[in-house]
Amino acid sequence: MNDTPHLHDDSPADRARAARRDAAVAAAVRQGLVTAEQPVAGLLDTAALREAAGALHAAFEEVAAPGQQVLHAFAVKAAPLVAVLRLLDELGLGCEVASPGESALARAAGVAPQRTVLDSPAKTAEELREALRLGVAINVDNPQELARLDSLRGELPSGHPLPPIGLRINPQLGAGSIDAMSTATATSKFGVALADEGARDWVLDAYRLRPWLNRLHVHTGSQGIPLSLMTEGVAAVYALAEEINAAAGRPQITGIDIGGGLPVNFASERTAPTFAEYARLLRERTPGLFDGRYALVTEFGRSLAAKAGTTLARVEYVKSAGGRAIAVTHAGAQTAVRTVFAPESWPLRIDAYDSSGLRKHEPDLAQDVAGPCCFAGDLVARDRSMPALAADDLVALLDTGAYYFSNPFSYNSLPRPAVYGYTADEAGTVRFATVRPPQSTAELVAESGGSCAGALTAP
Ligand SMILES: *Cc1c(COP(=O)(O)O)cnc(C)c1O
């Protein structure tokens, strides 16, 4: 997958990001961020995050009507790091949250409840109560949740304003290339399955009986969903909004949440597809979405953060088995869960650096790049042609700014790696800021019930 560098396809911004990354790796080594004691860290390119947020704003400004309200709510699960959420808030983005923890992160970052959207197929009564109280927009997943909201509304003091509330719709359009990421299949666990018998009538009734329902939501999937399928999902929900409003004889639906899911190119440096391409396709397919009658919400995650992140890990040993060269590194399933467990769906580019953080130019050798976890499948690349690795070298797992080091897997009691944000000036001077400190061994013990050590033995 890594054989053809699509260099000619890269934009100047893509090339600048790659150059900043090389500078950051060398600086991380010089400044002692990745050492024998701390052998793995996440690095986040602040300028790349800023650029992605800017590109998202520009893409929708280009297609939206003048003055049309557009809230870009960052999907917190893609990079649940408080400093990232605060940066994005400062750049004009809100948050999409789907658990009490994600809600707390958004609040810790200072994101206003009015700029927060609550999803999740399993919201508890307490989560819904809090959203109603604070004014967090709610995307309701199913009829039982709607019934629960009916009664929770009754608990609010009279005159308490309701946040925007709508149903999540599953347009049942089918899957993309990764089943686990496809949320709009016929039997997906998400939302109200619109094409099921009687479902459309149920939805129309639900809105007729509840004049306070004023949104619709769709999220067709994440990574592997073709733009055409995403666009059809949005078109289906737009058509439903028009139908509800026609039936109501008034603009009952005032906002449409089109979800996230813009795929990321993990095969080369190039940023593709772009937010602009997607926004233009949406306008072509559904011009009415951009005539100013609806407030819009988006929920992008991966496409905002993936290309800003690099996982940097030391090579501890190199060895061979059955004729295969194997580099044993400190980046495995604990930081690259999906790549390790579903390697066909989640291949990553990997760059090789020497122990001082300079790019290696040794001749390519087919190698396995393994992680530190104690199970045989803990490989981030198999039979990968890349410069021959040696002990004390570094490997960089590219495009890992979303759903990788920020979403660690607690296996073998390996600690959560540190995350450092970086900026690099024209002269190549790199400055780091700690976004998340490395987890200490003492914290690991505490997390594993260290304070309950005697719980199962006689006093
Ligand atoms: C995960 C998720 C997103 C973000 O998806 P990306 O592929 O990261 O853009 C948005 N909305 C909902 C409801 C999600 O579950």
Side-chain angles (χ1 to χ4, degrees), residues 91-105:
L91 297 171
L93 277 72
C95 279
E96 182 265 348
V97 300
S99 71
E102 289 182 357
S103 298
L105 296 188

mmCIF file with all atom_site columns, all heavy atoms in Angstrom, residues 91-105:
data_model
loop_
_atom_site.group_PDB
_atom_site.id
_atom_site.type_symbol
_atom_site.label_atom_id
_atom_site.label_alt_id
_atom_site.label_comp_id
_atom_site.label_asym_id
_atom_site.label_entity_id
_atom_site.label_seq_id
_atom_site.pdbx_PDB_ins_code
_atom_site.Cartn_x
_atom_site.Cartn_y
_atom_site.Cartn_z
_atom_site.occupancy
_atom_site.B_iso_or_equiv
_atom_site.pdbx_formal_charge
_atom_site.auth_seq_id
_atom_site.auth_comp_id
_atom_site.auth_asym_id
_atom_site.auth_atom_id
_atom_site.pdbx_PDB_model_num
ATOM 1  N N   . LEU A 1 91  ? -11.208 27.790 17.661 1.00 0.00 ? 91  LEU A N   1
ATOM 2  C CA  . LEU A 1 91  ? -11.274 27.906 16.200 1.00 0.00 ? 91  LEU A CA  1
ATOM 3  C C   . LEU A 1 91  ? -12.714 27.861 15.703 1.00 0.00 ? 91  LEU A C   1
ATOM 4  O O   . LEU A 1 91  ? -12.972 27.709 14.506 1.00 0.00 ? 91  LEU A O   1
ATOM 5  C CB  . LEU A 1 91  ? -10.453 26.781 15.551 1.00 0.00 ? 91  LEU A CB  1
ATOM 6  C CG  . LEU A 1 91  ? -8.945  26.825 15.863 1.00 0.00 ? 91  LEU A CG  1
ATOM 7  C CD1 . LEU A 1 91  ? -8.245  25.568 15.366 1.00 0.00 ? 91  LEU A CD1 1
ATOM 8  C CD2 . LEU A 1 91  ? -8.299  28.074 15.270 1.00 0.00 ? 91  LEU A CD2 1
ATOM 9  N N   . GLY A 1 92  ? -13.672 27.912 16.631 1.00 0.00 ? 92  GLY A N   1
ATOM 10 C CA  . GLY A 1 92  ? -15.072 28.029 16.222 1.00 0.00 ? 92  GLY A CA  1
ATOM 11 C C   . GLY A 1 92  ? -15.819 26.724 16.073 1.00 0.00 ? 92  GLY A C   1
ATOM 12 O O   . GLY A 1 92  ? -16.907 26.689 15.507 1.00 0.00 ? 92  GLY A O   1
ATOM 13 N N   . LEU A 1 93  ? -15.236 25.621 16.574 1.00 0.00 ? 93  LEU A N   1
ATOM 14 C CA  . LEU A 1 93  ? -15.941 24.342 16.508 1.00 0.00 ? 93  LEU A CA  1
ATOM 15 C C   . LEU A 1 93  ? -16.593 24.032 17.852 1.00 0.00 ? 93  LEU A C   1
ATOM 16 O O   . LEU A 1 93  ? -16.131 24.484 18.898 1.00 0.00 ? 93  LEU A O   1
ATOM 17 C CB  . LEU A 1 93  ? -14.973 23.202 16.135 1.00 0.00 ? 93  LEU A CB  1
ATOM 18 C CG  . LEU A 1 93  ? -14.695 23.017 14.643 1.00 0.00 ? 93  LEU A CG  1
ATOM 19 C CD1 . LEU A 1 93  ? -13.825 24.122 14.099 1.00 0.00 ? 93  LEU A CD1 1
ATOM 20 C CD2 . LEU A 1 93  ? -14.030 21.672 14.387 1.00 0.00 ? 93  LEU A CD2 1
ATOM 21 N N   . GLY A 1 94  ? -17.652 23.216 17.820 1.00 0.00 ? 94  GLY A N   1
ATOM 22 C CA  . GLY A 1 94  ? -18.263 22.702 19.035 1.00 0.00 ? 94  GLY A CA  1
ATOM 23 C C   . GLY A 1 94  ? -17.848 21.254 19.236 1.00 0.00 ? 94  GLY A C   1
ATOM 24 O O   . GLY A 1 94  ? -16.814 20.823 18.717 1.00 0.00 ? 94  GLY A O   1
ATOM 25 N N   . CYS A 1 95  ? -18.658 20.515 20.010 1.00 0.00 ? 95  CYS A N   1
ATOM 26 C CA  . CYS A 1 95  ? -18.335 19.120 20.308 1.00 0.00 ? 95  CYS A CA  1
ATOM 27 C C   . CYS A 1 95  ? -19.546 18.222 20.092 1.00 0.00 ? 95  CYS A C   1
ATOM 28 O O   . CYS A 1 95  ? -20.667 18.579 20.467 1.00 0.00 ? 95  CYS A O   1
ATOM 29 C CB  . CYS A 1 95  ? -17.891 18.967 21.755 1.00 0.00 ? 95  CYS A CB  1
ATOM 30 S SG  . CYS A 1 95  ? -16.177 19.406 22.024 1.00 0.00 ? 95  CYS A SG  1
ATOM 31 N N   . GLU A 1 96  ? -19.292 17.035 19.550 1.00 0.00 ? 96  GLU A N   1
ATOM 32 C CA  . GLU A 1 96  ? -20.285 15.965 19.527 1.00 0.00 ? 96  GLU A CA  1
ATOM 33 C C   . GLU A 1 96  ? -19.839 14.957 20.569 1.00 0.00 ? 96  GLU A C   1
ATOM 34 O O   . GLU A 1 96  ? -18.702 14.482 20.526 1.00 0.00 ? 96  GLU A O   1
ATOM 35 C CB  . GLU A 1 96  ? -20.347 15.307 18.134 1.00 0.00 ? 96  GLU A CB  1
ATOM 36 C CG  . GLU A 1 96  ? -21.399 14.218 17.997 1.00 0.00 ? 96  GLU A CG  1
ATOM 37 C CD  . GLU A 1 96  ? -20.888 12.798 18.221 1.00 0.00 ? 96  GLU A CD  1
ATOM 38 O OE1 . GLU A 1 96  ? -19.659 12.590 18.266 1.00 0.00 ? 96  GLU A OE1 1
ATOM 39 O OE2 . GLU A 1 96  ? -21.708 11.890 18.391 1.00 0.00 ? 96  GLU A OE2 1
ATOM 40 N N   . VAL A 1 97  ? -20.697 14.689 21.558 1.00 0.00 ? 97  VAL A N   1
ATOM 41 C CA  . VAL A 1 97  ? -20.328 13.803 22.660 1.00 0.00 ? 97  VAL A CA  1
ATOM 42 C C   . VAL A 1 97  ? -21.291 12.614 22.708 1.00 0.00 ? 97  VAL A C   1
ATOM 43 O O   . VAL A 1 97  ? -22.434 12.706 22.259 1.00 0.00 ? 97  VAL A O   1
ATOM 44 C CB  . VAL A 1 97  ? -20.342 14.555 24.018 1.00 0.00 ? 97  VAL A CB  1
ATOM 45 C CG1 . VAL A 1 97  ? -19.349 15.707 23.998 1.00 0.00 ? 97  VAL A CG1 1
ATOM 46 C CG2 . VAL A 1 97  ? -21.741 15.066 24.351 1.00 0.00 ? 97  VAL A CG2 1
ATOM 47 N N   . ALA A 1 98  ? -20.795 11.505 23.278 1.00 0.00 ? 98  ALA A N   1
ATOM 48 C CA  . ALA A 1 98  ? -21.632 10.300 23.278 1.00 0.00 ? 98  ALA A CA  1
ATOM 49 C C   . ALA A 1 98  ? -21.465 9.487  24.553 1.00 0.00 ? 98  ALA A C   1
ATOM 50 O O   . ALA A 1 98  ? -21.692 8.281  24.548 1.00 0.00 ? 98  ALA A O   1
ATOM 51 C CB  . ALA A 1 98  ? -21.323 9.453  22.051 1.00 0.00 ? 98  ALA A CB  1
ATOM 52 N N   . SER A 1 99  ? -21.058 10.145 25.634 1.00 0.00 ? 99  SER A N   1
ATOM 53 C CA  . SER A 1 99  ? -20.970 9.448  26.921 1.00 0.00 ? 99  SER A CA  1
ATOM 54 C C   . SER A 1 99  ? -20.792 10.505 28.000 1.00 0.00 ? 99  SER A C   1
ATOM 55 O O   . SER A 1 99  ? -20.405 11.645 27.698 1.00 0.00 ? 99  SER A O   1
ATOM 56 C CB  . SER A 1 99  ? -19.770 8.492  26.946 1.00 0.00 ? 99  SER A CB  1
ATOM 57 O OG  . SER A 1 99  ? -18.563 9.231  26.998 1.00 0.00 ? 99  SER A OG  1
ATOM 58 N N   . PRO A 1 100 ? -21.048 10.137 29.273 1.00 0.00 ? 100 PRO A N   1
ATOM 59 C CA  . PRO A 1 100 ? -20.808 11.126 30.336 1.00 0.00 ? 100 PRO A CA  1
ATOM 60 C C   . PRO A 1 100 ? -19.350 11.590 30.347 1.00 0.00 ? 100 PRO A C   1
ATOM 61 O O   . PRO A 1 100 ? -19.068 12.765 30.606 1.00 0.00 ? 100 PRO A O   1
ATOM 62 C CB  . PRO A 1 100 ? -21.154 10.348 31.611 1.00 0.00 ? 100 PRO A CB  1
ATOM 63 C CG  . PRO A 1 100 ? -22.128 9.304  31.163 1.00 0.00 ? 100 PRO A CG  1
ATOM 64 C CD  . PRO A 1 100 ? -21.676 8.914  29.778 1.00 0.00 ? 100 PRO A CD  1
ATOM 65 N N   . GLY A 1 101 ? -18.422 10.698 30.036 1.00 0.00 ? 101 GLY A N   1
ATOM 66 C CA  . GLY A 1 101 ? -17.011 11.088 30.009 1.00 0.00 ? 101 GLY A CA  1
ATOM 67 C C   . GLY A 1 101 ? -16.737 12.123 28.930 1.00 0.00 ? 101 GLY A C   1
ATOM 68 O O   . GLY A 1 101 ? -16.066 13.134 29.180 1.00 0.00 ? 101 GLY A O   1
ATOM 69 N N   . GLU A 1 102 ? -17.254 11.886 27.725 1.00 0.00 ? 102 GLU A N   1
ATOM 70 C CA  . GLU A 1 102 ? -17.032 12.857 26.652 1.00 0.00 ? 102 GLU A CA  1
ATOM 71 C C   . GLU A 1 102 ? -17.700 14.193 26.973 1.00 0.00 ? 102 GLU A C   1
ATOM 72 O O   . GLU A 1 102 ? -17.153 15.253 26.660 1.00 0.00 ? 102 GLU A O   1
ATOM 73 C CB  . GLU A 1 102 ? -17.541 12.298 25.314 1.00 0.00 ? 102 GLU A CB  1
ATOM 74 C CG  . GLU A 1 102 ? -16.670 11.162 24.781 1.00 0.00 ? 102 GLU A CG  1
ATOM 75 C CD  . GLU A 1 102 ? -17.099 10.607 23.425 1.00 0.00 ? 102 GLU A CD  1
ATOM 76 O OE1 . GLU A 1 102 ? -18.141 11.062 22.885 1.00 0.00 ? 102 GLU A OE1 1
ATOM 77 O OE2 . GLU A 1 102 ? -16.398 9.719  22.920 1.00 0.00 ? 102 GLU A OE2 1
ATOM 78 N N   . SER A 1 103 ? -18.886 14.144 27.605 1.00 0.00 ? 103 SER A N   1
ATOM 79 C CA  . SER A 1 103 ? -19.533 15.404 28.004 1.00 0.00 ? 103 SER A CA  1
ATOM 80 C C   . SER A 1 103 ? -18.644 16.166 28.981 1.00 0.00 ? 103 SER A C   1
ATOM 81 O O   . SER A 1 103 ? -18.478 17.384 28.874 1.00 0.00 ? 103 SER A O   1
ATOM 82 C CB  . SER A 1 103 ? -20.885 15.136 28.677 1.00 0.00 ? 103 SER A CB  1
ATOM 83 O OG  . SER A 1 103 ? -21.755 14.497 27.778 1.00 0.00 ? 103 SER A OG  1
ATOM 84 N N   . ALA A 1 104 ? -18.048 15.426 29.932 1.00 0.00 ? 104 ALA A N   1
ATOM 85 C CA  . ALA A 1 104 ? -17.186 16.067 30.928 1.00 0.00 ? 104 ALA A CA  1
ATOM 86 C C   . ALA A 1 104 ? -15.940 16.664 30.258 1.00 0.00 ? 104 ALA A C   1
ATOM 87 O O   . ALA A 1 104 ? -15.489 17.751 30.633 1.00 0.00 ? 104 ALA A O   1
ATOM 88 C CB  . ALA A 1 104 ? -16.789 15.058 32.002 1.00 0.00 ? 104 ALA A CB  1
ATOM 89 N N   . LEU A 1 105 ? -15.396 15.975 29.255 1.00 0.00 ? 105 LEU A N   1
ATOM 90 C CA  . LEU A 1 105 ? -14.226 16.514 28.554 1.00 0.00 ? 105 LEU A CA  1
ATOM 91 C C   . LEU A 1 105 ? -14.589 17.828 27.856 1.00 0.00 ? 105 LEU A C   1
ATOM 92 O O   . LEU A 1 105 ? -13.831 18.804 27.893 1.00 0.00 ? 105 LEU A O   1
ATOM 93 C CB  . LEU A 1 105 ? -13.700 15.513 27.510 1.00 0.00 ? 105 LEU A CB  1
ATOM 94 C CG  . LEU A 1 105 ? -13.151 14.182 28.006 1.00 0.00 ? 105 LEU A CG  1
ATOM 95 C CD1 . LEU A 1 105 ? -12.497 13.411 26.855 1.00 0.00 ? 105 LEU A CD1 1
ATOM 96 C CD2 . LEU A 1 105 ? -12.148 14.375 29.125 1.00 0.00 ? 105 LEU A CD2 1
#
